[in-house]
Amino acid sequence: PLRQLGGQRSVVCKHWLRGLCKKGDGCDFLHEYDVTKVPECYFYSKFGECGNKDCPFLHIDATASTVGCPWYHRGFCRQGPLCQYKHTQRVPCANYLVGFCPEGPKCKFMQYV
């Protein structure tokens, strides 16, 4: 999803950021540091922290800046991985599935309505 679209390099090359890109001018990604086009740090997005103090990637706080996709929560999002909203898998509530959840809307598990 981060490859160039329509001949325009829209994302900074993650290998170039580390000095490891071997494609040179043939690379489909941008070889120029542009803060608005730097990819998100995998470790920060996955684990909430990054051990590299000089990390060149974006550290975006997932809780503050991402909104859950309402279509995904209903069961299906047509955009799939290209959706601008966050797709988080939620575990269904076992109590609700058998008939009644005493926690109601405060339940930490997903309840189908």
Side-chain angles (χ1 to χ4, degrees), residues 1 7 9 11 17 22 26-27 33 37-38 46 53 56 59 62 71-73 76 79 87-88 91 97-99 106:
R9 295 176 181 173
V11 177
L17 282 170
K22 297 178 182 178
C27 185
Y33 192 80
K37 297 178 180 181
V38 174
K46 186 80 172 168
K53 64 179 180 130
H59 292 166
W71 295 105
Y72 186 82
H73 290 299
F76 179 74
Q79 302 298 321
H87 289 182
T88 50
V91 178
L97 291 174
V98 294
K106 294 180 183 177

Side-chain angles (χ1 to χ4, degrees), residues 2-110:
L2 297 178
R3 296 197 61 91
Q4 78 179 36
L5 302 171
Q8 181 181 10
R9 295 176 181 173
S10 59
V11 177
V12 176
C13 176
K14 65 181 180 180
H15 302 293
W16 178 82
L17 282 170
R18 293 183 180 129
L20 300 173
C21 186
K22 297 178 182 178
K23 294 184 179 181
D25 291 336
C27 185
D28 293 334
F29 295 91
L30 189 61
H31 282 195
E32 173 183 310
Y33 192 80
D34 184 346
V35 137
T36 64
K37 297 178 180 181
V38 174
E40 188 175 349
C41 176
Y42 171 79
F43 296 102
Y44 194 83
S45 66
K46 186 80 172 168
F47 306 111
E49 61 183 72
C50 175
N52 183 358
K53 64 179 180 130
D54 297 322
C55 182
F57 300 103
L58 289 179
H59 292 166
I60 299 171
D61 185 11
T63 57
S65 64
T66 18
V67 178
C69 175
W71 295 105
Y72 186 82
H73 290 299
R74 289 184 186 131
F76 179 74
C77 175
R78 292 186 306 184
Q79 302 298 321
L82 300 177
C83 183
Q84 65 180 342
Y85 300 106
K86 188 173 184 177
H87 289 182
T88 50
Q89 291 184 340
R90 295 169 44 192
V91 178
C93 175
N95 291 329
Y96 186 83
L97 291 174
V98 294
F100 177 74
C101 176
E103 299 292 323
K106 294 180 183 177
C107 181
K108 66 179 180 177
F109 299 106
M110 182 174 61

